[in-house]
Amino acid sequence: MFTKKECVVMLLAGGRGSRLLSLTEKIAKPAVNFGGKYSIIDFPLSNCVNSGMHTVGVLTQYQPLMLNEYIGNGQPWDLDRINGGVTVLPPYQNNESADWYSGTANAIYQNMDFINRYDPDYVVVLSGDHIYKMDYFKMLEFHKEKGSDCTIAVIDVPLEEACRFGIMNTDNENKIIEFEEKPKHPKSTKASMGIYIFNKDILEKYLEDDDKDQSSENDFGKNIIPKMLNDGKNMYAYLFNGYWKDVGTIPSLWQANMDLLGEQPEFDLNNPQWRIFSRSNGAPAHFVGDGAKIDNSLITEGCEINGMVKNSVLSSNVIVEKGALVKDSVIMSDVTIKTGAVVKYSIVDKNTVIEPDTIVGKEEENREIALVTAKNIQYVKM
């Protein structure tokens, strides 16, 4: 017997993340390291707990093994609960068929049985690949106050960047009157964050209708949201004013890591009022040698620093040998940077060795980020 919940959260975490290139060859995008000790999925999971929402379905598909292991029973996020908690939801075979998730809407539709076990009034739909802190409870209160059928979180973006997003045009009450997908000439700067709250019964009806439509791409942004708007449903935009970054590309992942640095970082991970929880890797304390120099950097457990690290983010178990320099870079876990090597403006993937006296990366004026793996180096324009 399952206890009724006011809302159920559905976290979409099955994306391949092809724009992250070799970083996602063997893992799903939400499992990629961020900020030294975290994975990207830690942020929406922590937001759920901090918002008082403790019933979460995580929808996985592409390369799910590491992500499934990482989530486990949900204990690091206080989601190991008898009634509710976190449940990993991969595609499965039923009496009629066995299908991969064909789109964001189809992924939710295939898991309506999970949602209906809790008989919720509301369903919160999240993406698993953004970096931000957000109180979903406040958004839910806004949704109820407005009597909304669907509420979409939006963030104000520069006008010149609005063409990259789904744009919500609203009236003075923030009621959505028009939706434009990546418009060439945007009428507003309210960009969809891919965060939705639906009344459950309305969501279920639209997902059922969408599943019957053979021409549909089964996508919230392309199909469900436009259809609801065309049908005159009560839809509102919830304006979010905090930090939010889509880390779906190498340059954006690098920049988001850089935003963690400095005395007053653009995105602060050290706020005790809104902790970001993660599954600890159990690494020992980091070691800093006598000749080491560290400036404006985040160093995670298990690192051994004998060289120079400037303006960089190092994940666990990174070794920087004597005479090596790491500058303006993001180093994933279990990397060794040997004596005399120079790494700058780079993202170095897990389990990579930078050999002695090797120079990796270019100067800042080139506006390129080097993606370094054990196999090769690629340069990605900012």
Side-chain angles (χ1 to χ4, degrees):
M1 183 68 181
F2 294 94
T3 303
K4 177 178 172 60
K5 305 289 184 179
E6 181 182 33
C7 72
V8 168
V9 178
M10 301 297 278
L11 176 52
L12 297 163
R16 178 175 182 176
S18 58
R19 294 179 298 164
L20 288 177
L21 306 175
S22 55
L23 292 182
T24 53
E25 278 186 357
K26 296 183 178 180
I27 62 174
K29 180 164 58 171
V32 170
N33 282 141
F34 178 81
K37 66 177 293 183
Y38 303 99
S39 293
I40 294 172
I41 199 170
D42 286 331
F43 292 85
L45 285 177
S46 297
N47 287 340
C48 288
V49 173
N50 289 324
S51 301
M53 297 181 178
H54 299 100
T55 304
V56 183
V58 180
L59 287 71
T60 63
Q61 179 161 279
Y62 173 77
Q63 293 285 14
L65 179 60
M66 184 176 293
L67 188 60
N68 293 352
E69 289 180 344
Y70 185 77
I71 294 171
N73 68 352
Q75 186 273 332
W77 305 273
D78 189 29
L79 289 171
D80 54 335
R81 298 176 178 233
I82 295 175
N83 286 304
V86 67
T87 304
V88 176
L89 300 169
Y92 63 92
Q93 182 174 0
N94 58 28
N95 291 332
E96 298 178 358
S97 64
D99 294 318
W100 292 110
Y101 298 144
S102 59
T104 55
N106 176 259
I108 303 297
Y109 178 68
Q110 287 198 40
N111 287 284
M112 283 307 304
D113 286 345
F114 169 80
I115 294 172
N116 284 326
R117 291 197 310 190
Y118 299 99
D119 189 26
D121 299 313
Y122 309 102
V123 178
V124 181
V125 179
L126 308 175
S127 173
D129 52 9
H130 299 144
I131 303 298
Y132 65 110
K133 298 177 185 178
M134 181 177 180
D135 191 338
Y136 305 134
F137 180 77
K138 290 183 178 179
M139 181 176 172
L140 179 59
E141 289 294 291
F142 174 88
H143 176 87
K144 292 189 287 187
E145 177 186 313
K146 295 293 186 181
S148 182
D149 298 315
C150 170
T151 299
I152 302 172
V154 299
I155 190 167
D156 195 33
V157 298
L159 183 61
E160 61 271 17
E161 296 182 15
C163 59
R164 298 172 40 225
F165 298 91
I167 297 297
M168 304 293 163
N169 301 321
T170 66
D171 64 14
N172 292 334
E173 298 293 322
N174 279 324
K175 185 173 183 179
I176 300 170
I177 56 177
E178 184 181 16
F179 171 72
E180 297 179 285
E181 179 67 22
K182 298 181 179 180
K184 292 183 178 179
H185 304 287
K187 300 174 185 176
S188 87
T189 55
K190 293 177 179 176
S192 172
M193 299 167 63
I195 299 170
Y196 312 105
I197 296 180
F198 294 93
N199 293 347
K200 194 274 291 186
D201 291 342
I202 290 175
L203 172 64
E204 187 167 19
K205 175 188 180 301
Y206 275 87
L207 291 179
E208 288 175 350
D209 292 345
D210 183 71
D211 185 65
K212 296 172 185 175
D213 183 356
Q214 297 298 314
S215 65
S216 175
E217 296 182 51
N218 308 127
D219 184 84
F220 279 106
K222 295 177 181 178
N223 305 109
I224 302 297
I225 301 304
K227 182 67 166 60
M228 291 182 69
L229 197 58
N230 289 339
D231 289 349
K233 291 299 179 184
N234 206 23
M235 304 175 71
Y236 281 84
Y238 177 78
L239 186 60
F240 177 69
N241 294 313
Y243 180 95
W244 178 83
K245 183 78 75 174
D246 182 344
V247 289
T249 67
I250 294 299
S252 63
L253 179 62
W254 179 86
Q255 185 59 60
N257 275 275
M258 294 298 105
D259 289 343
L260 304 176
L261 303 176
E263 293 184 6
Q264 294 183 319
E266 189 170 347
F267 186 59
D268 185 7
L269 290 176
N270 297 315
N271 181 359
Q273 304 302 316
W274 199 273
R275 284 188 57 194
I276 302 301
F277 302 91
S278 71
R279 182 175 294 282
S280 172
N281 57 23
H286 61 258
F287 172 80
V288 179
D290 289 342
K293 294 183 179 180
I294 300 174
D295 179 32
N296 192 41
S297 297
L298 294 178
I299 311 295
T300 310
E301 296 96 334
C303 291
E304 182 178 331
I305 312 299
N306 288 293
M308 181 179 294
V309 179
K310 300 179 65 176
N311 204 58
S312 296
V313 177
L314 275 58
S315 297
S316 59
N317 302 314
V318 172
I319 298 173
V320 181
E321 294 186 351
K322 186 176 181 179
L325 168 64
V326 178
K327 177 184 176 185
D328 299 295
S329 294
V330 179
I331 313 299
M332 302 300 187
S333 57
D334 301 298
V335 168
T336 298
I337 300 169
K338 294 195 171 183
T339 300
V342 176
V343 178
K344 50 192 175 183
Y345 300 104
S346 300
I347 296 178
V348 181
D349 199 9
K350 297 179 178 180
N351 303 305
T352 300
V353 176
I354 307 298
E355 297 295 343
D357 302 316
T358 302
I359 298 177
V360 174
K362 301 177 181 180
E363 294 299 333
E364 184 178 14
E365 53 265 26
N366 285 283
R367 304 307 296 163
E368 289 183 322
I369 300 299
L371 174 58
V372 187
T373 70
K375 296 179 180 178
N376 58 28
I377 301 175
Q378 294 173 271
Y379 286 92
V380 182
K381 289 190 178 295
M382 290 288 285

